[in-house]
Amino acid sequence: MSIWVCGEVLIDLIPGADGVRVPHVGGGPANTAKALARLGHDVQFIDGISSDQYGQMSRKELLDDEVKLDLALKSDKPTCTAEVTLAADGSGSYVFHIDGTATFDFSLDWLPDPSRYKPQVLHIGTLVTVIEPGADVLYDWAIRVAEFAPIVYDPNIRPSVMGDRDRYQASVEKWVAISSVIKVSDDDVEWLYPGESVESVAQRWIKDGAALVVITRGINGLLGVSAGGSVEVPGVKIEVADTVGAGDTVGAIIVEAMIEKGILNLTDEVLKVTLHRAAVAAGITCSRKGAQPPYKHELKGV
């Protein structure tokens, strides 16, 4: 049995020291798949991957980290790119080139049959859950997957792609309703639900059926909310290169804990230990340029 991670692998065009944009393999779900593979897990990544230069670069990087691509689509359509602008604190904003790309070419004709493969977990999110027509296809497919495996959903909000807050809310709530775990940033919640506290939103999702909501808060650490209450851990102090992939690394640690400890056991002290491990892992990712999550040995003893 393997972990399924579904979503985009794309190319982040990140400014170098001379201001010239340098291509880095990115995309939130791809970052999560890499993080899980580096932790030693069996991961199948599910997306359309182009035969173009960027697609070949993406494929090589994923395979080099031992992410499996048996269930991915091979496509002659181009790879999606994201022009990244970095703020003084290392956070990034993105302008995406999406239309007609392999990255968002989802169809039930090629998506894997969960009854055949029986995955352990499906991690899904970021842009593939809002970009149509693929998002509707993925939603129908995910409902079938949910019969066999819990869903971990990371909305990873991108207002530059869909600035209509009401539409975005509707999409997020639809996915939340079929998910066991939601990993979200405080910035995501504040944009989606202005005027509401992040904890009240998390508690509402728990009341509606989610087992766990994990909220990333940058330097302020992590907040986990379950039916058993709330757990907080502080951030880890490091020298930030950039924050690309930090939240995706947290998602990987949460998936790992679900498999190793059981989703219903992620409360109280077990959840606190998990969130601390996630904070340390995210800190390591932030200390490196681009999305380069830690390897298993780097988290030994954490």
Side-chain angles (χ1 to χ4, degrees):
M1 293 176 70
S2 61
I3 299 166
W4 283 6
V5 179
C6 180
E8 64 266 23
V9 60
L10 47 77
I11 295 296
D12 288 326
L13 300 172
I14 300 176
D18 57 1
V20 176
R21 294 185 186 277
V22 179
H24 295 265
V25 175
N31 297 339
T32 298
K34 282 169 53 179
L36 281 162
R38 288 185 179 190
L39 292 170
H41 297 285
D42 186 333
V43 185
Q44 288 282 358
F45 183 68
I46 300 168
D47 188 21
I49 302 180
S50 176
S51 59
D52 67 14
Q53 182 180 356
Y54 284 158
Q56 292 174 37
M57 181 178 167
S58 301
R59 181 175 291 274
K60 181 180 186 305
E61 184 160 317
L62 288 166
L63 290 173
D64 284 351
D65 273 320
E66 300 187 2
V67 175
K68 295 179 179 177
L69 300 176
D70 311 50
L71 305 181
L73 173 71
K74 295 178 181 178
S75 173
D76 292 330
K77 294 180 179 180
T79 301
C80 175
T81 59
E83 293 181 9
V84 183
T85 301
L86 296 176
D89 64 358
S91 62
S93 58
Y94 303 80
V95 176
F96 295 91
H97 301 277
I98 291 169
D99 292 348
T101 60
T103 315
F104 294 92
D105 188 14
F106 291 99
S107 163
L108 292 177
D109 293 339
W110 69 266
L111 284 165
D113 179 357
S115 67
R116 175 184 173 188
Y117 295 99
K118 296 182 175 60
Q120 288 177 291
V121 177
L122 170 64
H123 182 289
I124 191 167
T126 313
L127 290 175
V128 299
T129 54
V130 293
I131 299 297
E132 298 296 357
D136 278 346
V137 171
L138 285 174
Y139 181 77
D140 291 342
W141 173 72
I143 289 174
R144 290 168 51 198
V145 177
E147 296 175 20
F148 300 91
I151 294 175
V152 179
Y153 170 54
D154 181 357
N156 212 357
I157 303 301
R158 296 288 185 254
S160 63
V161 173
M162 188 164 77
D164 185 329
R165 185 178 279 107
D166 290 342
R167 277 184 62 203
Y168 227 135
Q169 273 187 19
S171 171
V172 167
E173 293 292 344
K174 181 173 78 168
W175 281 94
V176 164
I178 64 168
S179 300
S180 298
V181 176
I182 301 101
K183 197 284 297 179
V184 66
S185 74
D186 54 358
D187 287 342
D188 290 345
V189 175
E190 287 161 10
W191 186 84
L192 277 172
Y193 305 102
E196 289 190 58
S197 72
V198 292
E199 190 157 0
S200 68
V201 172
Q203 287 169 343
R204 185 174 77 242
W205 289 344
I206 295 296
K207 186 179 177 182
D208 289 344
L212 176 66
V213 179
V214 174
I215 299 162
T216 61
R217 304 182 298 181
I219 61 172
N220 295 316
L222 300 167
L223 170 67
V225 180
S226 70
S230 300
V231 175
E232 294 185 65
V233 299
V236 176
K237 291 184 179 179
I238 44 91
E239 188 172 332
V240 176
D242 64 45
T243 63
V244 178
D248 309 318
T249 302
V250 171
I253 298 293
I254 301 303
V255 170
E256 176 183 63
M258 289 171 62
I259 291 168
E260 293 182 352
K261 299 170 183 175
I263 187 170
L264 297 179
N265 294 322
L266 293 181
T267 60
D268 303 323
E269 190 60 29
V270 174
L271 180 56
K272 189 171 186 177
V273 169
T274 299
L275 295 181
H276 173 67
R277 181 175 167 86
V280 172
I284 293 171
T285 303
C286 289
S287 71
R288 300 165 174 167
K289 196 79 170 174
Q292 294 298 330
Y295 292 89
K296 187 175 185 176
H297 71 269
E298 294 178 281
L299 294 174
K300 190 174 182 179
V302 177

